[in-house]
Amino acid sequence: MTADRPPLLSNPRSERVRLVAALGRRAARDKQGLFLVEGPQAVREMLRYAVHAAEVVYLTPAAARRHTEIVAAAREGGVRTQECTDQVLAALADTEHPQGVVAVARPVDVPLAQALDAVAADGFAVVLTHVRDPGNAGTVLRGADAFGASAVLVSAASVDVHNPKVVRSTVGSLFHLPVSTGTPVPELLGACRERGIRLLAADGAGSTTLPEVDLTGPHAWVMGNEAWGLDPGVLALCDEVVSIPIQRAESLNLAMAATVCLHASGAVRAERRS
Amino acid sequence: MTADRPPLLSNPRSERVRLVAALGRRAARDKQGLFLVEGPQAVREMLRYAVHAAEVVYLTPAAARRHTEIVAAAREGGVRTQECTDQVLAALADTEHPQGVVAVARPVDVPLAQALDAVAADGFAVVLTHVRDPGNAGTVLRGADAFGASAVLVSAASVDVHNPKVVRSTVGSLFHLPVSTGTPVPELLGACRERGIRLLAADGAGSTTLPEVDLTGPHAWVMGNEAWGLDPGVLALCDEVVSIPIQRAESLNLAMAATVCLHASGAVRAERRS
């Protein structure tokens, strides 16, 4: 045993393992102020884009040999690595197949004002109101990232973006752009409006269609709950209610609608740059 | 007991229930030539758009009272309904919450030539090659339906579109447009080409970008496997390799990419009509 190579963590029933494993649950995340980042891809992106948040990276000896870039990035960023047995890694992880790598990090969400700064400077954002499904939230984060959104604003009473299922489905996007969380919907929309960010509600019943809407200035797409959509009260707080023209099918699901809207916003900006 | 009101099915361990429940597995679907349609929404759409395929609709007495439109549509279409206990319905269903309604139907896929007829007449289609995840296949079917595609072409070695998870995630779209299945990829692409359908491979490495590509004539979007994308051999069979411009994020997932491509094709046709 040397100072820079701590012994292999081998007891899956230890207090430390129990504490990390508990981060699969929201109450434990809130209490400990930490969350889980699982799998080499997500851990690599965290070390690259949000190294300040990283606490510890746990790896099996095999994963440490396979992912030397992760071990090097952790060392360079001053992040502790800890080797552990396959049994301990399986006990730490929420995922069934974390591929030998799990990290623990402090939450990466930013204050609302900081997220809005990025949007108000001619950007665009997506607002998730009462979105409950982790996979949907993850897909929206990924789309926001892919199409160049400046921020993702997640209202109070939505899924926790630090939920392992969300983190997993963003494939690293959680670390790429400012994400604000926890503000109740009316305050969130009011703050956007004060910063000159136009609020576009995405709703199948919208009177403006996507090809008609002006996407040139700072704007935010407001997305509702998977099952019931946007409340009339929320629609009334938006500047426009925009529908995606469809031919058939009852409606698009939340992730599909957000993908199409964010792609349209990104395309307008890409065209302007070219 | 009267002729038009058969007795309540009450034994969840009966041979009949066992046979229906087995349809959750592909081998049983292939052997029996039947598949499961679960939940009021999917059953309603099947009775409306593909009543010829329907064999039996199973309902709990409560669901029969709640969904009189389903009972009426079945009667009108000459489809047998069978009331059963909650326990029997739970045993029949693959889903945890089928909301009291499960139907059994014959496969709804159509011969390839029939699907291509619809596309060749100035339509567009999506080709799924080696797509394995039921949720992805379901989302693509839903997007094809929503944006007005003429057909969905699913290659051999892809997920079974009659898998209960696919049926569920299409929310009825499976019954709205021609779906062809089981043709190996080279034959499938060859048949498209013979009918004058341009083959557009969706691939992050494509040299043509989505805004540049001509979507006016008959065309088909060729989508690859979730993990490895499209084989070089398949790319070589396509007319163009098209990428969706993205700013960040490693790549879009299959369902997001298909949604954006199908939306673009649908938008070109909607614009022409207006």
Side-chain angles (χ1 to χ4, degrees), chain B:
Chain B
M1 175 167 133
T2 68
D4 51 28
R5 197 170 175 88
L8 199 68
L9 211 61
S10 62
N11 179 6
R13 279 174 300 279
S14 71
E15 175 70 3
R16 180 168 168 191
V17 171
R18 202 189 58 71
L19 279 169
V20 173
L23 298 174
R25 299 193 309 275
R26 184 163 196 165
R29 288 194 293 278
D30 289 347
K31 190 174 165 194
Q32 298 184 44
L34 293 169
F35 76 110
L36 288 169
V37 182
E38 303 179 307
Q41 166 79 355
V43 171
R44 202 182 292 121
E45 295 298 295
M46 180 196 47
L47 290 174
R48 186 161 169 202
Y49 291 94
V51 70
H52 60 279
E55 284 274 321
V56 191
V57 180
Y58 296 93
L59 308 101
T60 60
R65 282 192 301 274
R66 199 179 320 120
H67 300 291
T68 51
E69 82 290 0
I70 289 180
V71 177
R75 190 183 301 125
E76 205 171 301
V79 178
R80 194 155 64 87
T81 57
Q82 169 69 59
E83 293 197 9
C84 56
T85 61
D86 290 2
Q87 289 71 26
V88 165
L89 199 98
L92 292 174
D94 185 73
T95 327
E96 258 185 79
H97 303 290
Q99 299 170 259
V101 188
V102 169
V104 169
R106 289 180 299 281
V108 291
D109 52 332
V110 302
L112 178 58
Q114 182 183 333
L116 294 183
D117 281 346
V119 185
D122 203 26
F124 64 97
V126 59
V127 178
L128 296 182
T129 70
H130 306 290
V131 168
R132 297 287 161 80
D133 180 71
N136 282 338
T139 302
V140 173
L141 267 156
R142 199 169 166 174
D145 186 22
F147 299 125
S150 302
V152 175
L153 314 172
V154 183
S155 78
S158 287
V159 64
D160 178 11
V161 297
H162 297 102
N163 174 318
K165 291 197 186 70
V166 177
V167 178
R168 198 148 64 231
S169 61
T170 70
V171 205
S173 290
L174 177 62
F175 308 114
H176 294 173
L177 76 174
V179 178
S180 142
T181 67
T183 312
V185 177
E187 284 88 324
L188 189 49
L189 300 186
C192 287
R193 188 183 284 281
E194 270 177 33
R195 298 297 306 269
I197 298 165
R198 270 175 72 232
L199 296 168
L200 307 176
D203 187 292
S207 50
T208 307
T209 67
L210 182 60
E212 293 165 349
V213 72
D214 178 6
L215 299 173
T216 53
H219 62 274
W221 287 105
V222 183
M223 313 297 304
N225 172 270
E226 289 88 346
W228 71 77
L230 287 163
D231 288 333
V234 175
L235 288 174
L237 294 173
C238 293
D239 295 293
E240 282 191 85
V241 184
V242 182
S243 64
I244 299 168
I246 58 175
Q247 303 299 314
R248 283 183 307 243
E250 203 189 39
S251 66
L252 302 170
N253 67 27
L254 165 71
M256 296 168 81
T259 298
V260 168
C261 292
L262 290 167
H263 172 259
S265 295
V268 166
R269 272 153 180 76
E271 204 177 303
R272 194 193 298 163
R273 274 193 304 273
S274 72

Side-chain angles (χ1 to χ4, degrees), chain A residues 99-125:
Chain A
Q99 299 170 261
V101 188
V102 169
V104 168
R106 288 181 301 281
V108 292
D109 51 334
V110 303
L112 178 59
Q114 182 182 329
L116 294 183
D117 281 347
V119 185
D122 202 26
F124 64 96

Side-chain angles (χ1 to χ4, degrees), chain A residues 5-10 57-71 81-90 92 99-102:
Chain A
R5 197 172 174 84
L8 198 69
L9 211 60
S10 63
V57 179
Y58 296 94
L59 307 101
T60 61
R65 282 192 302 274
R66 200 178 320 122
H67 301 291
T68 51
E69 82 290 0
I70 290 180
V71 177
T81 56
Q82 168 68 60
E83 293 197 9
C84 56
T85 61
D86 290 1
Q87 289 71 26
V88 166
L89 198 98
L92 293 173
Q99 299 170 261
V101 188
V102 169

